[in-house]
Amino acid sequence: MRVEYRDRFSELEPLLSHVEKPSRYIDHEWGALSSPDAQHRVCLIYPDVYEVGLPNQGIAILYNVLNQQEGESCERSYVPWVDMADAMRAAGVPLLSLEGAAPVASFDIVGLHVPHEMAATNYLEALDLAGIPILAAERGEDDPIVIAGGPSVYNPEPIASFFDAMLIGEGEEHIVEVALEHRRLRDAGASRSEIVRALAKIPGTYVPSLYEVCHEGPCTRHGYTVPRAGEDVPSVVYKRVVRDFGATDPLSQSVVPFAQLVHDRLSIEILRGCARGCRFCQAGITYRPVRERTADQVVSAVTRGLARTGYDEVSLTSLSTTDHSCCSQILSRLNRRLDDTGISVSIPSQRLDSFGVDMALEVAGEKKGGLTFAPEAGSQRLRDIINKNVTEDDLERAARAAFEAGWRRMKLYFMMGLPGETDDDIVAIAQLAERVVEIAHEVVPKGQRGGISVSISVSVFIPKAQTPFQWCGQLDDAEVKRRQKLLVSSVTSRQVRVHYHDADTSLIEAALSRCGRDFVPVIVGAWKRGARFDAWTEQFDLGIWEQAAQEAGIDLREVSQETFGLEDRLPWEHVSPGVAPGFLQREWRRALEGKTTSDCTRTSCTGCGICPTLGAKNILVGERGE
């Protein structure tokens, strides 16, 4: 029997005084949207706690566009922290939506955001709390249609069994089409199987139950996915792309939270896509082509957003904000408009050159905290392999300009375990950081040198689907730990601090990024043993994952460290961001030769194939410099 849509907050309320941060679970925030009398209901779930999920722009965009549709209502839900989840289970309270405090299982469609691999067990936690079977194959006619979408769907196979449909690519237009088609079919009395088959006809929609895993011919141990016999579905599901990005509303946020958020500010997406071509970067492929908003659009959106929300900080977001061809103009106009208001503007990252420092200066004003750059590798040889296209001279000029402009703290991001890396490259990270300290001592007045600090943050390379490095294995986790110790011992300056990511979590992330449907029992087994919130250091337990993998007959290290052959069919090749497989292979070969590839927004087409495949193109509102 279908779960009734009704307000059940009275059942949740007695639990609030017994849990950490009860404000995570209180509804009626300022600016919340939904329609109590709507004909069709969608609940979007971010697979983490409220303060992590609310700032997510993807959810905010879909929430707004769905609530603008006549007859549609969209509400939100987040995964309760472990204390509240346990209390809800003990009290028999299911997962509720935030706006209406209605059972998530009472909605027509439940959509889960897929932000990163380490959220896998939280999908199961959310579905189980909602009272929805965790496997799509076990759902009945009265259960909601469960969909997924987000930045990490480009190897959907490890989590495919949990979803009735997966939306590949950009969702503004896509999710509306899915919701309207579902409503039409529901009202016509269509069965669950008829509905999912119809959804598979909508471009960009992957319905896992209509596909099966094949092991014929050259392939990895995980096989590859093909349409089931007799099913009229595409062999490759291409991502959806918003071709006229400038026609969409830059202001996605409407909700003003009760609690302090992880990113507690107004966020405006000023461009989408990045063509710099870093070979390890999945987003650099999957968000192409590059599309910029005009300066007028951005400034207008900031003005409207501040009036709507009352924030005192604005973040101009994208994969590469300072690449925007009108970035300087936008910042100048905002600074003039916001002068004497106490409202600040921030940008999430700086280009590793003097222009990046100039832009940081535009937003910092008198408040010069820390400045962040991402050289990614310590040596020029390795930066060429990964196509970073920055030199040590670029870093030195940027560091000098920053210290001269008044900064005293700098953070440098690197990766460890990149293809072709040697011990010399690890030592080069320390040398580069100490060279930055030397530059600071050359520039900063003697009395201020005590405040100089250079922080190194080193993550472990994760081979990602749809990148030139997708065939590479991850570095052995014991070797990661050895290189981490080498880095620490190579740093001699007291003004250089080293932080590195845990090798254990990187092992699981790599396994999840490379495997196929054979990994479903591992995820289920880990969750049943208590794994949840695996992206939180205090919650992650490698032993749980190892037990689940052993029970499923899978060696986590073999999965994460195996090198795939270029001729192998891959577990994720049935979904595509539009990139030509030949382009990725060519980029892999250029990496082996240490050859770089240019940014197509600054030179000419580099042949990735995405624009002609998707019928889209780069849209710049000005000229980008070299």
Side-chain angles (χ1 to χ4, degrees):
M1 187 174 68
R2 185 65 183 266
V3 176
E4 181 188 359
Y5 177 90
R6 64 182 178 88
D7 188 325
R8 293 178 61 175
F9 187 74
S10 61
E11 299 173 44
L12 187 73
E13 190 172 15
L15 309 179
L16 296 178
S17 61
H18 303 288
V19 300
E20 177 187 359
K21 298 184 180 179
S23 56
R24 289 167 167 161
Y25 314 106
I26 301 174
D27 58 357
H28 300 301
E29 308 128 303
W30 179 268
L33 308 171
S34 65
S35 303
D37 301 321
Q39 303 161 7
H40 189 261
R41 302 181 186 282
V42 179
C43 185
L44 299 179
I45 303 176
Y46 190 90
D48 211 314
V49 290
Y50 175 88
E51 62 268 29
V52 175
L54 184 61
N56 180 265
Q57 281 186 299
I59 292 282
I61 290 168
L62 302 186
Y63 179 72
N64 274 281
V65 297
L66 281 170
N67 278 310
Q68 290 168 13
Q69 304 300 312
E70 185 176 352
E72 292 288 331
S73 179
C74 181
E75 300 184 29
R76 296 160 295 139
S77 188
Y78 304 93
V79 180
W81 187 246
V82 293
D83 56 353
M84 178 57 102
D86 292 346
M88 290 168 69
R89 284 190 171 98
V93 180
L95 183 65
L96 305 177
S97 66
L98 202 62
E99 284 80 357
V104 165
S106 69
F107 284 76
D108 296 289
I109 293 177
V110 173
L112 279 143
H113 188 64
V114 184
H116 50 73
E117 286 82 5
M118 298 304 287
T121 52
N122 268 18
Y123 309 138
L124 308 188
E125 180 74 352
L127 292 170
D128 183 68
L129 274 171
I132 300 170
I134 61 173
L135 296 175
E138 296 176 356
R139 292 178 196 135
E141 294 296 329
D142 290 331
D143 289 312
I145 295 293
V146 182
I147 65 174
S152 289
V153 295
Y154 289 95
N155 178 13
E157 291 309 280
I159 58 173
S161 298
F162 310 140
F163 301 107
D164 298 301
M166 303 184 77
L167 279 57
I168 310 301
E170 297 170 5
E172 292 99 316
E173 299 160 345
H174 195 177
I175 198 167
V176 172
E177 294 173 18
V178 167
L180 295 182
E181 179 68 354
H182 178 265
R183 192 207 311 181
R184 183 186 72 79
L185 292 164
R186 179 206 63 181
D187 293 348
S191 68
R192 186 178 194 88
S193 62
E194 290 170 336
I195 288 172
V196 296
R197 278 187 171 82
L199 295 182
K201 302 291 185 186
I202 298 174
T205 310
Y206 171 48
V207 175
S209 63
L210 305 183
Y211 294 75
E212 62 186 359
V213 177
C214 180
H215 287 85
E216 294 179 7
C219 62
T220 73
R221 70 179 70 201
H222 311 290
Y224 54 96
T225 302
V226 297
R228 288 188 181 277
E231 297 292 354
D232 182 20
V233 290
S235 57
V236 177
V237 178
Y238 288 100
K239 81 162 188 173
R240 291 289 292 269
V241 63
V242 177
R243 294 178 180 86
D244 191 0
F245 179 62
T248 63
D249 188 353
L251 181 58
S252 59
Q253 284 172 275
S254 63
V255 177
V256 180
F258 288 132
Q260 185 172 5
L261 306 179
V262 173
H263 300 291
D264 207 9
R265 59 184 74 97
L266 175 68
S267 296
I268 303 294
E269 186 184 21
I270 73 168
L271 72 96
R272 189 172 290 179
C274 175
R276 285 188 168 260
C278 297
R279 291 174 176 134
F280 58 82
C281 181
Q282 186 182 64
I285 292 291
T286 59
Y287 279 91
R288 293 187 188 191
V290 175
R291 290 144 291 159
E292 296 180 345
R293 297 194 188 279
T294 66
D296 287 347
Q297 259 194 315
V298 174
V299 174
S300 171
V302 169
T303 303
R304 287 188 292 122
L306 291 173
R308 179 188 292 181
T309 62
Y311 277 114
D312 59 4
E313 182 182 350
V314 181
S315 179
L316 304 180
T317 65
S318 77
L319 292 175
S320 53
T321 295
T322 50
D323 280 339
H324 193 294
S325 58
C326 298
C327 185
S328 181
Q329 178 192 145
I330 290 168
L331 291 174
S332 296
R333 287 176 60 178
L334 288 176
N335 282 340
R336 288 196 301 271
R337 182 161 297 198
L338 301 177
D339 191 32
D340 295 327
T341 64
I343 297 169
S344 62
V345 180
S346 64
I347 49 181
S349 62
Q350 285 77 44
R351 271 168 46 180
L352 215 166
D353 55 20
S354 57
F355 179 78
V357 176
D358 291 343
M359 294 304 97
L361 198 58
E362 283 272 10
V363 300
E366 296 301 313
K367 299 184 296 183
K368 296 184 180 67
L371 201 56
T372 300
F373 294 116
E376 307 292 4
S379 70
Q380 190 59 49
R381 181 191 66 83
L382 195 52
R383 283 192 293 274
D384 288 345
I385 287 175
I386 65 175
N387 203 51
K388 188 62 185 175
N389 278 321
V390 296
T391 66
E392 194 159 329
D393 287 343
D394 291 327
L395 178 61
E396 291 198 6
R397 281 193 295 268
R400 192 173 298 276
F403 290 125
E404 287 175 346
W407 274 277
R408 298 295 176 261
R409 291 185 288 117
M410 189 173 293
K411 190 169 188 177
L412 303 175
Y413 282 109
F414 295 91
M415 282 190 185
M416 180 176 289
L418 288 160
E421 182 182 84
T422 67
D423 282 4
D424 288 343
D425 297 306
I426 300 298
V427 174
I429 294 174
Q431 293 171 339
L432 196 58
E434 294 188 336
R435 174 58 185 146
V436 171
V437 172
E438 289 176 8
I439 292 169
H441 280 264
E442 293 170 9
V443 172
V444 175
K446 192 171 184 180
Q448 299 178 24
R449 291 175 187 169
I452 295 170
S453 171
V454 176
S455 175
I456 300 172
S457 181
V458 186
S459 61
V460 179
F461 164 69
I462 310 288
K464 297 283 188 176
Q466 317 291 353
T467 71
F469 288 166
Q470 65 183 351
W471 295 279
C472 305
Q474 187 185 45
L475 193 66
D476 174 80
D477 46 332
E479 177 63 12
V480 168
K481 292 173 182 177
R482 186 193 70 81
R483 294 189 194 187
Q484 288 171 340
K485 291 179 181 178
L486 173 62
L487 174 60
V488 171
S489 66
S490 299
V491 173
T492 58
S493 172
R494 293 182 179 179
Q495 291 177 305
V496 175
R497 297 179 181 178
V498 180
H499 308 272
Y500 47 78
H501 289 209
D502 180 51
D504 292 346
T505 55
S506 298
L507 169 67
I508 301 303
E509 185 178 352
L512 286 164
S513 72
R514 315 192 75 221
C515 59
R517 289 196 196 185
D518 52 342
F519 212 73
V520 169
V522 181
I523 298 172
V524 173
W527 171 72
K528 286 183 175 179
R529 286 172 169 80
R532 49 185 168 169
F533 291 99
D534 289 296
W536 293 67
T537 303
E538 67 268 35
Q539 288 295 121
F540 178 76
D541 184 342
L542 178 61
I544 286 177
W545 283 91
E546 288 178 324
Q547 291 169 23
Q550 185 176 14
E551 184 180 32
I554 287 178
D555 186 316
L556 293 173
R557 286 163 182 81
E558 283 186 4
V559 170
S560 65
Q561 295 161 19
E562 182 180 8
T563 299
F564 298 151
L566 289 183
E567 73 286 350
D568 288 343
R569 298 195 65 176
L570 302 172
W572 50 81
E573 62 181 38
H574 59 293
V575 300
S576 173
V579 66
F583 173 78
L584 297 179
Q585 291 182 355
R586 186 168 72 247
E587 282 296 288
W588 169 236
R589 293 187 179 101
R590 289 178 70 84
L592 295 177
E593 298 168 0
K595 293 181 178 178
T596 61
T597 300
S598 59
D599 180 337
C600 67
T601 65
R602 291 175 168 83
T603 54
S604 58
C605 176
T606 54
C608 76
I610 290 175
C611 289
T613 299
L614 302 180
K617 61 181 180 180
N618 291 333
I619 299 176
L620 307 182
V621 296
E623 291 291 326
R624 291 187 172 187
E626 288 292 333

